[in-house]
PDB file of all heavy atoms in Angstrom:
ATOM      1  N   ASN A  10      19.367   3.305  11.418  1.00 93.00           N
ATOM      2  CA  ASN A  10      19.578   4.656  10.881  1.00 93.00           C
ATOM      3  C   ASN A  10      19.888   4.685   9.387  1.00 93.00           C
ATOM      4  O   ASN A  10      20.669   5.517   8.924  1.00 93.00           O
ATOM      5  CB  ASN A  10      20.674   5.398  11.658  1.00 93.00           C
ATOM      6  CG  ASN A  10      20.258   5.614  13.092  1.00 93.00           C
ATOM      7  OD1 ASN A  10      19.114   6.000  13.356  1.00 93.00           O
ATOM      8  ND2 ASN A  10      21.157   5.347  14.018  1.00 93.00           N
ATOM      9  N   LEU A  11      19.293   3.769   8.632  1.00 94.00           N
ATOM     10  CA  LEU A  11      19.450   3.775   7.181  1.00 94.00           C
ATOM     11  C   LEU A  11      18.240   4.454   6.556  1.00 94.00           C
ATOM     12  O   LEU A  11      17.131   4.354   7.071  1.00 94.00           O
ATOM     13  CB  LEU A  11      19.563   2.350   6.636  1.00 94.00           C
ATOM     14  CG  LEU A  11      20.756   1.538   7.105  1.00 94.00           C
ATOM     15  CD1 LEU A  11      20.780   0.203   6.391  1.00 94.00           C
ATOM     16  CD2 LEU A  11      22.057   2.275   6.868  1.00 94.00           C
ATOM     17  N   GLY A  12      18.459   5.131   5.443  1.00 95.00           N
ATOM     18  CA  GLY A  12      17.344   5.716   4.698  1.00 95.00           C
ATOM     19  C   GLY A  12      16.621   4.619   3.944  1.00 95.00           C
ATOM     20  O   GLY A  12      17.257   3.775   3.319  1.00 95.00           O
ATOM     21  N   CYS A  13      15.299   4.624   4.030  1.00 96.00           N
ATOM     22  CA  CYS A  13      14.497   3.611   3.348  1.00 96.00           C
ATOM     23  C   CYS A  13      13.306   4.282   2.674  1.00 96.00           C
ATOM     24  O   CYS A  13      12.824   5.315   3.145  1.00 96.00           O
ATOM     25  CB  CYS A  13      13.955   2.579   4.326  1.00 96.00           C
ATOM     26  SG  CYS A  13      15.209   1.629   5.157  1.00 96.00           S
ATOM     27  N   PHE A  14      12.825   3.664   1.614  1.00 97.00           N
ATOM     28  CA  PHE A  14      11.626   4.163   0.958  1.00 97.00           C
ATOM     29  C   PHE A  14      10.878   3.003   0.333  1.00 97.00           C
ATOM     30  O   PHE A  14      11.470   2.149  -0.326  1.00 97.00           O
ATOM     31  CB  PHE A  14      11.968   5.196  -0.125  1.00 97.00           C
ATOM     32  CG  PHE A  14      10.752   5.719  -0.826  1.00 97.00           C
ATOM     33  CD1 PHE A  14       9.882   6.579  -0.176  1.00 97.00           C
ATOM     34  CD2 PHE A  14      10.466   5.337  -2.127  1.00 97.00           C
ATOM     35  CE1 PHE A  14       8.742   7.052  -0.807  1.00 97.00           C
ATOM     36  CE2 PHE A  14       9.330   5.810  -2.768  1.00 97.00           C
ATOM     37  CZ  PHE A  14       8.476   6.666  -2.104  1.00 97.00           C
ATOM     38  N   ILE A  15       9.571   2.989   0.569  1.00 96.00           N
ATOM     39  CA  ILE A  15       8.670   2.038  -0.071  1.00 96.00           C
ATOM     40  C   ILE A  15       7.551   2.858  -0.702  1.00 96.00           C
ATOM     41  O   ILE A  15       6.853   3.585   0.015  1.00 96.00           O
ATOM     42  CB  ILE A  15       8.070   1.029   0.936  1.00 96.00           C
ATOM     43  CG1 ILE A  15       9.171   0.181   1.573  1.00 96.00           C
ATOM     44  CG2 ILE A  15       7.034   0.141   0.250  1.00 96.00           C
ATOM     45  CD1 ILE A  15       8.675  -0.746   2.671  1.00 96.00           C
ATOM     46  N   PRO A  16       7.365   2.775  -2.026  1.00 94.00           N
ATOM     47  CA  PRO A  16       6.247   3.494  -2.645  1.00 94.00           C
ATOM     48  C   PRO A  16       4.922   2.941  -2.115  1.00 94.00           C
ATOM     49  O   PRO A  16       4.706   1.728  -2.132  1.00 94.00           O
ATOM     50  CB  PRO A  16       6.396   3.205  -4.136  1.00 94.00           C
ATOM     51  CG  PRO A  16       7.757   2.633  -4.308  1.00 94.00           C
ATOM     52  CD  PRO A  16       8.168   2.064  -3.002  1.00 94.00           C
ATOM     53  N   MET A  17       4.073   3.841  -1.621  1.00 93.00           N
ATOM     54  CA  MET A  17       2.797   3.424  -1.018  1.00 93.00           C
ATOM     55  C   MET A  17       1.639   4.119  -1.741  1.00 93.00           C
ATOM     56  O   MET A  17       1.815   5.185  -2.325  1.00 93.00           O
ATOM     57  CB  MET A  17       2.763   3.819   0.462  1.00 93.00           C
ATOM     58  CG  MET A  17       3.919   3.294   1.293  1.00 93.00           C
ATOM     59  SD  MET A  17       3.813   1.570   1.694  1.00 93.00           S
ATOM     60  CE  MET A  17       2.665   1.599   3.048  1.00 93.00           C
ATOM     61  N   GLN A  18       0.460   3.498  -1.659  1.00 90.00           N
ATOM     62  CA  GLN A  18      -0.749   4.113  -2.192  1.00 90.00           C
ATOM     63  C   GLN A  18      -1.943   3.680  -1.362  1.00 90.00           C
ATOM     64  O   GLN A  18      -1.892   2.658  -0.685  1.00 90.00           O
ATOM     65  CB  GLN A  18      -0.950   3.746  -3.658  1.00 90.00           C
ATOM     66  CG  GLN A  18      -1.289   2.287  -3.885  1.00 90.00           C
ATOM     67  CD  GLN A  18      -1.402   1.935  -5.356  1.00 90.00           C
ATOM     68  OE1 GLN A  18      -1.334   2.790  -6.211  1.00 90.00           O
ATOM     69  NE2 GLN A  18      -1.580   0.667  -5.648  1.00 90.00           N
ATOM     70  N   TYR A  19      -2.997   4.477  -1.422  1.00 90.00           N
ATOM     71  CA  TYR A  19      -4.220   4.123  -0.704  1.00 90.00           C
ATOM     72  C   TYR A  19      -5.034   3.161  -1.543  1.00 90.00           C
ATOM     73  O   TYR A  19      -5.199   3.351  -2.750  1.00 90.00           O
ATOM     74  CB  TYR A  19      -5.049   5.374  -0.403  1.00 90.00           C
ATOM     75  CG  TYR A  19      -4.490   6.170   0.744  1.00 90.00           C
ATOM     76  CD1 TYR A  19      -3.790   7.342   0.514  1.00 90.00           C
ATOM     77  CD2 TYR A  19      -4.643   5.730   2.062  1.00 90.00           C
ATOM     78  CE1 TYR A  19      -3.255   8.070   1.568  1.00 90.00           C
ATOM     79  CE2 TYR A  19      -4.108   6.446   3.117  1.00 90.00           C
ATOM     80  CZ  TYR A  19      -3.419   7.617   2.864  1.00 90.00           C
ATOM     81  OH  TYR A  19      -2.891   8.321   3.910  1.00 90.00           O
ATOM     82  N   LYS A  20      -5.532   2.112  -0.913  1.00 89.00           N
ATOM     83  CA  LYS A  20      -6.406   1.126  -1.557  1.00 89.00           C
ATOM     84  C   LYS A  20      -7.659   0.993  -0.708  1.00 89.00           C
ATOM     85  O   LYS A  20      -7.587   1.014   0.522  1.00 89.00           O
ATOM     86  CB  LYS A  20      -5.733  -0.257  -1.621  1.00 89.00           C
ATOM     87  CG  LYS A  20      -4.629  -0.370  -2.616  1.00 89.00           C
ATOM     88  CD  LYS A  20      -5.158  -0.750  -3.962  1.00 89.00           C
ATOM     89  CE  LYS A  20      -3.989  -0.927  -4.897  1.00 89.00           C
ATOM     90  NZ  LYS A  20      -4.266  -1.566  -6.095  1.00 89.00           N
ATOM     91  N   ILE A  21      -8.776   0.839  -1.367  1.00 90.00           N
ATOM     92  CA  ILE A  21     -10.041   0.605  -0.675  1.00 90.00           C
ATOM     93  C   ILE A  21     -10.302  -0.896  -0.707  1.00 90.00           C
ATOM     94  O   ILE A  21     -10.227  -1.526  -1.760  1.00 90.00           O
ATOM     95  CB  ILE A  21     -11.213   1.340  -1.382  1.00 90.00           C
ATOM     96  CG1 ILE A  21     -10.935   2.825  -1.513  1.00 90.00           C
ATOM     97  CG2 ILE A  21     -12.524   1.052  -0.666  1.00 90.00           C
ATOM     98  CD1 ILE A  21     -10.994   3.619  -0.240  1.00 90.00           C
ATOM     99  N   SER A  22     -10.558  -1.461   0.454  1.00 88.00           N
ATOM    100  CA  SER A  22     -10.909  -2.881   0.503  1.00 88.00           C
ATOM    101  C   SER A  22     -12.115  -3.042   1.426  1.00 88.00           C
ATOM    102  O   SER A  22     -12.459  -2.138   2.187  1.00 88.00           O
ATOM    103  CB  SER A  22      -9.722  -3.719   1.000  1.00 88.00           C
ATOM    104  OG  SER A  22      -9.339  -3.297   2.288  1.00 88.00           O
ATOM    105  N   ILE A  23     -12.735  -4.179   1.349  1.00 92.00           N
ATOM    106  CA  ILE A  23     -13.901  -4.468   2.184  1.00 92.00           C
ATOM    107  C   ILE A  23     -13.470  -5.399   3.313  1.00 92.00           C
ATOM    108  O   ILE A  23     -12.923  -6.476   3.056  1.00 92.00           O
ATOM    109  CB  ILE A  23     -15.033  -5.150   1.368  1.00 92.00           C
ATOM    110  CG1 ILE A  23     -15.373  -4.351   0.105  1.00 92.00           C
ATOM    111  CG2 ILE A  23     -16.250  -5.398   2.239  1.00 92.00           C
ATOM    112  CD1 ILE A  23     -16.043  -3.025   0.357  1.00 92.00           C
ATOM    113  N   ARG A  24     -13.668  -4.957   4.554  1.00 90.00           N
ATOM    114  CA  ARG A  24     -13.354  -5.792   5.723  1.00 90.00           C
ATOM    115  C   ARG A  24     -14.568  -5.831   6.624  1.00 90.00           C
ATOM    116  O   ARG A  24     -15.065  -4.794   7.047  1.00 90.00           O
ATOM    117  CB  ARG A  24     -12.166  -5.212   6.496  1.00 90.00           C
ATOM    118  CG  ARG A  24     -10.857  -5.391   5.764  1.00 90.00           C
ATOM    119  CD  ARG A  24      -9.666  -5.281   6.692  1.00 90.00           C
ATOM    120  NE  ARG A  24      -8.462  -5.235   5.881  1.00 90.00           N
ATOM    121  CZ  ARG A  24      -7.536  -4.297   5.983  1.00 90.00           C
ATOM    122  NH1 ARG A  24      -7.639  -3.343   6.874  1.00 90.00           N
ATOM    123  NH2 ARG A  24      -6.479  -4.325   5.211  1.00 90.00           N
ATOM    124  N   LYS A  25     -15.029  -7.029   6.886  1.00 92.00           N
ATOM    125  CA  LYS A  25     -16.216  -7.227   7.730  1.00 92.00           C
ATOM    126  C   LYS A  25     -17.389  -6.387   7.239  1.00 92.00           C
ATOM    127  O   LYS A  25     -18.108  -5.767   8.016  1.00 92.00           O
ATOM    128  CB  LYS A  25     -15.899  -6.906   9.192  1.00 92.00           C
ATOM    129  CG  LYS A  25     -14.843  -7.822   9.786  1.00 92.00           C
ATOM    130  CD  LYS A  25     -14.578  -7.495  11.229  1.00 92.00           C
ATOM    131  CE  LYS A  25     -13.472  -8.396  11.762  1.00 92.00           C
ATOM    132  NZ  LYS A  25     -13.119  -8.080  13.126  1.00 92.00           N
ATOM    133  N   GLY A  26     -17.544  -6.347   5.910  1.00 93.00           N
ATOM    134  CA  GLY A  26     -18.671  -5.644   5.312  1.00 93.00           C
ATOM    135  C   GLY A  26     -18.530  -4.140   5.219  1.00 93.00           C
ATOM    136  O   GLY A  26     -19.446  -3.463   4.754  1.00 93.00           O
ATOM    137  N   LYS A  27     -17.400  -3.574   5.630  1.00 93.00           N
ATOM    138  CA  LYS A  27     -17.214  -2.126   5.581  1.00 93.00           C
ATOM    139  C   LYS A  27     -16.042  -1.779   4.672  1.00 93.00           C
ATOM    140  O   LYS A  27     -15.058  -2.513   4.606  1.00 93.00           O
ATOM    141  CB  LYS A  27     -16.941  -1.567   6.978  1.00 93.00           C
ATOM    142  CG  LYS A  27     -18.121  -1.676   7.902  1.00 93.00           C
ATOM    143  CD  LYS A  27     -17.835  -0.974   9.210  1.00 93.00           C
ATOM    144  CE  LYS A  27     -19.066  -1.095  10.109  1.00 93.00           C
ATOM    145  NZ  LYS A  27     -18.919  -0.331  11.324  1.00 93.00           N
ATOM    146  N   LYS A  28     -16.176  -0.624   4.001  1.00 93.00           N
ATOM    147  CA  LYS A  28     -15.076  -0.136   3.174  1.00 93.00           C
ATOM    148  C   LYS A  28     -13.992   0.421   4.087  1.00 93.00           C
ATOM    149  O   LYS A  28     -14.275   1.218   4.974  1.00 93.00           O
ATOM    150  CB  LYS A  28     -15.548   0.970   2.239  1.00 93.00           C
ATOM    151  CG  LYS A  28     -16.293   0.481   1.038  1.00 93.00           C
ATOM    152  CD  LYS A  28     -16.573   1.622   0.085  1.00 93.00           C
ATOM    153  CE  LYS A  28     -17.322   1.134  -1.125  1.00 93.00           C
ATOM    154  NZ  LYS A  28     -17.581   2.237  -2.065  1.00 93.00           N
ATOM    155  N   VAL A  29     -12.755  -0.005   3.836  1.00 93.00           N
ATOM    156  CA  VAL A  29     -11.618   0.448   4.623  1.00 93.00           C
ATOM    157  C   VAL A  29     -10.570   1.010   3.660  1.00 93.00           C
ATOM    158  O   VAL A  29     -10.213   0.358   2.674  1.00 93.00           O
ATOM    159  CB  VAL A  29     -11.005  -0.721   5.439  1.00 93.00           C
ATOM    160  CG1 VAL A  29      -9.782  -0.261   6.203  1.00 93.00           C
ATOM    161  CG2 VAL A  29     -12.036  -1.314   6.369  1.00 93.00           C
ATOM    162  N   ARG A  30     -10.092   2.221   3.954  1.00 91.00           N
ATOM    163  CA  ARG A  30      -9.037   2.847   3.148  1.00 91.00           C
ATOM    164  C   ARG A  30      -7.717   2.617   3.866  1.00 91.00           C
ATOM    165  O   ARG A  30      -7.533   3.064   4.996  1.00 91.00           O
ATOM    166  CB  ARG A  30      -9.321   4.341   3.013  1.00 91.00           C
ATOM    167  CG  ARG A  30      -8.351   5.054   2.118  1.00 91.00           C
ATOM    168  CD  ARG A  30      -8.791   6.517   1.963  1.00 91.00           C
ATOM    169  NE  ARG A  30      -7.901   7.234   1.088  1.00 91.00           N
ATOM    170  CZ  ARG A  30      -7.268   8.341   1.415  1.00 91.00           C
ATOM    171  NH1 ARG A  30      -7.453   8.894   2.606  1.00 91.00           N
ATOM    172  NH2 ARG A  30      -6.465   8.932   0.565  1.00 91.00           N
ATOM    173  N   ALA A  31      -6.815   1.882   3.208  1.00 90.00           N
ATOM    174  CA  ALA A  31      -5.537   1.543   3.848  1.00 90.00           C
ATOM    175  C   ALA A  31      -4.372   1.930   2.950  1.00 90.00           C
ATOM    176  O   ALA A  31      -4.459   1.856   1.720  1.00 90.00           O
ATOM    177  CB  ALA A  31      -5.485   0.050   4.139  1.00 90.00           C
ATOM    178  N   LEU A  32      -3.277   2.344   3.584  1.00 91.00           N
ATOM    179  CA  LEU A  32      -2.048   2.674   2.871  1.00 91.00           C
ATOM    180  C   LEU A  32      -1.230   1.389   2.729  1.00 91.00           C
ATOM    181  O   LEU A  32      -0.862   0.767   3.731  1.00 91.00           O
ATOM    182  CB  LEU A  32      -1.273   3.728   3.669  1.00 91.00           C
ATOM    183  CG  LEU A  32      -0.153   4.465   2.964  1.00 91.00           C
ATOM    184  CD1 LEU A  32      -0.652   5.175   1.712  1.00 91.00           C
ATOM    185  CD2 LEU A  32       0.475   5.476   3.905  1.00 91.00           C
ATOM    186  N   VAL A  33      -0.998   0.974   1.487  1.00 92.00           N
ATOM    187  CA  VAL A  33      -0.304  -0.294   1.226  1.00 92.00           C
ATOM    188  C   VAL A  33       0.817  -0.091   0.207  1.00 92.00           C
ATOM    189  O   VAL A  33       0.780   0.857  -0.577  1.00 92.00           O
ATOM    190  CB  VAL A  33      -1.284  -1.366   0.692  1.00 92.00           C
ATOM    191  CG1 VAL A  33      -2.356  -1.694   1.720  1.00 92.00           C
ATOM    192  CG2 VAL A  33      -1.921  -0.942  -0.617  1.00 92.00           C
ATOM    193  N   PRO A  34       1.813  -0.973   0.204  1.00 93.00           N
ATOM    194  CA  PRO A  34       2.891  -0.867  -0.794  1.00 93.00           C
ATOM    195  C   PRO A  34       2.343  -1.013  -2.214  1.00 93.00           C
ATOM    196  O   PRO A  34       1.454  -1.829  -2.462  1.00 93.00           O
ATOM    197  CB  PRO A  34       3.811  -2.038  -0.449  1.00 93.00           C
ATOM    198  CG  PRO A  34       3.533  -2.325   0.992  1.00 93.00           C
ATOM    199  CD  PRO A  34       2.069  -2.037   1.176  1.00 93.00           C
ATOM    200  N   VAL A  35       2.873  -0.222  -3.134  1.00 91.00           N
ATOM    201  CA  VAL A  35       2.474  -0.308  -4.537  1.00 91.00           C
ATOM    202  C   VAL A  35       2.983  -1.616  -5.130  1.00 91.00           C
ATOM    203  O   VAL A  35       2.267  -2.307  -5.839  1.00 91.00           O
ATOM    204  CB  VAL A  35       3.049   0.889  -5.335  1.00 91.00           C
ATOM    205  CG1 VAL A  35       2.810   0.726  -6.824  1.00 91.00           C
ATOM    206  CG2 VAL A  35       2.433   2.180  -4.838  1.00 91.00           C
ATOM    207  N   VAL A  36       4.232  -1.938  -4.844  1.00 90.00           N
ATOM    208  CA  VAL A  36       4.847  -3.179  -5.321  1.00 90.00           C
ATOM    209  C   VAL A  36       5.290  -3.942  -4.088  1.00 90.00           C
ATOM    210  O   VAL A  36       6.148  -3.480  -3.342  1.00 90.00           O
ATOM    211  CB  VAL A  36       6.074  -2.893  -6.217  1.00 90.00           C
ATOM    212  CG1 VAL A  36       6.729  -4.188  -6.657  1.00 90.00           C
ATOM    213  CG2 VAL A  36       5.679  -2.047  -7.416  1.00 90.00           C
ATOM    214  N   HIS A  37       4.667  -5.083  -3.871  1.00 91.00           N
ATOM    215  CA  HIS A  37       5.060  -5.872  -2.702  1.00 91.00           C
ATOM    216  C   HIS A  37       6.485  -6.386  -2.862  1.00 91.00           C
ATOM    217  O   HIS A  37       6.943  -6.653  -3.969  1.00 91.00           O
ATOM    218  CB  HIS A  37       4.091  -7.035  -2.476  1.00 91.00           C
ATOM    219  CG  HIS A  37       2.794  -6.579  -1.904  1.00 91.00           C
ATOM    220  ND1 HIS A  37       2.673  -6.097  -0.620  1.00 91.00           N
ATOM    221  CD2 HIS A  37       1.571  -6.477  -2.450  1.00 91.00           C
ATOM    222  CE1 HIS A  37       1.431  -5.744  -0.399  1.00 91.00           C
ATOM    223  NE2 HIS A  37       0.739  -5.955  -1.505  1.00 91.00           N
ATOM    224  N   ASN A  38       7.168  -6.483  -1.746  1.00 93.00           N
ATOM    225  CA  ASN A  38       8.528  -7.018  -1.656  1.00 93.00           C
ATOM    226  C   ASN A  38       9.626  -6.081  -2.147  1.00 93.00           C
ATOM    227  O   ASN A  38      10.777  -6.469  -2.207  1.00 93.00           O
ATOM    228  CB  ASN A  38       8.659  -8.362  -2.381  1.00 93.00           C
ATOM    229  CG  ASN A  38       7.666  -9.364  -1.871  1.00 93.00           C
ATOM    230  OD1 ASN A  38       7.335  -9.378  -0.689  1.00 93.00           O
ATOM    231  ND2 ASN A  38       7.142 -10.195  -2.748  1.00 93.00           N
ATOM    232  N   LEU A  39       9.296  -4.825  -2.499  1.00 95.00           N
ATOM    233  CA  LEU A  39      10.299  -3.882  -2.991  1.00 95.00           C
ATOM    234  C   LEU A  39      10.598  -2.828  -1.928  1.00 95.00           C
ATOM    235  O   LEU A  39       9.691  -2.190  -1.407  1.00 95.00           O
ATOM    236  CB  LEU A  39       9.808  -3.195  -4.266  1.00 95.00           C
ATOM    237  CG  LEU A  39      10.732  -2.145  -4.882  1.00 95.00           C
ATOM    238  CD1 LEU A  39      12.052  -2.769  -5.346  1.00 95.00           C
ATOM    239  CD2 LEU A  39      10.036  -1.460  -6.042  1.00 95.00           C
ATOM    240  N   VAL A  40      11.905  -2.684  -1.606  1.00 96.00           N
ATOM    241  CA  VAL A  40      12.355  -1.683  -0.637  1.00 96.00           C
ATOM    242  C   VAL A  40      13.580  -0.991  -1.231  1.00 96.00           C
ATOM    243  O   VAL A  40      14.482  -1.657  -1.739  1.00 96.00           O
ATOM    244  CB  VAL A  40      12.780  -2.336   0.710  1.00 96.00           C
ATOM    245  CG1 VAL A  40      13.213  -1.283   1.710  1.00 96.00           C
ATOM    246  CG2 VAL A  40      11.695  -3.207   1.274  1.00 96.00           C
ATOM    247  N   PHE A  41      13.598   0.336  -1.163  1.00 97.00           N
ATOM    248  CA  PHE A  41      14.782   1.088  -1.558  1.00 97.00           C
ATOM    249  C   PHE A  41      15.522   1.456  -0.282  1.00 97.00           C
ATOM    250  O   PHE A  41      14.919   1.951   0.667  1.00 97.00           O
ATOM    251  CB  PHE A  41      14.395   2.358  -2.327  1.00 97.00           C
ATOM    252  CG  PHE A  41      13.748   2.058  -3.652  1.00 97.00           C
ATOM    253  CD1 PHE A  41      12.372   2.085  -3.788  1.00 97.00           C
ATOM    254  CD2 PHE A  41      14.525   1.745  -4.765  1.00 97.00           C
ATOM    255  CE1 PHE A  41      11.769   1.816  -5.005  1.00 97.00           C
ATOM    256  CE2 PHE A  41      13.926   1.465  -5.990  1.00 97.00           C
ATOM    257  CZ  PHE A  41      12.545   1.504  -6.106  1.00 97.00           C
TER     258      PHE A  41
END
């Protein structure tokens, strides 16, 4: 029950030949 926040953004990557839009952390390893 703690408040947490991780800044996220959408990134386009190629997986198995297809474009995939995924929500990923902006800065890895950072948690507020």
Side-chain angles (χ1 to χ4, degrees):
N10 296 316
L11 297 185
C13 297
F14 179 72
I15 298 175
M17 305 285 280
Q18 69 183 354
Y19 283 104
K20 287 273 183 166
I21 304 288
S22 59
I23 308 291
R24 288 200 190 127
K25 297 181 182 177
K27 293 186 179 186
K28 282 187 180 181
V29 177
R30 184 175 181 236
L32 195 57
V33 297
V35 172
V36 178
H37 285 291
N38 304 326
L39 178 64
V40 181
F41 294 99

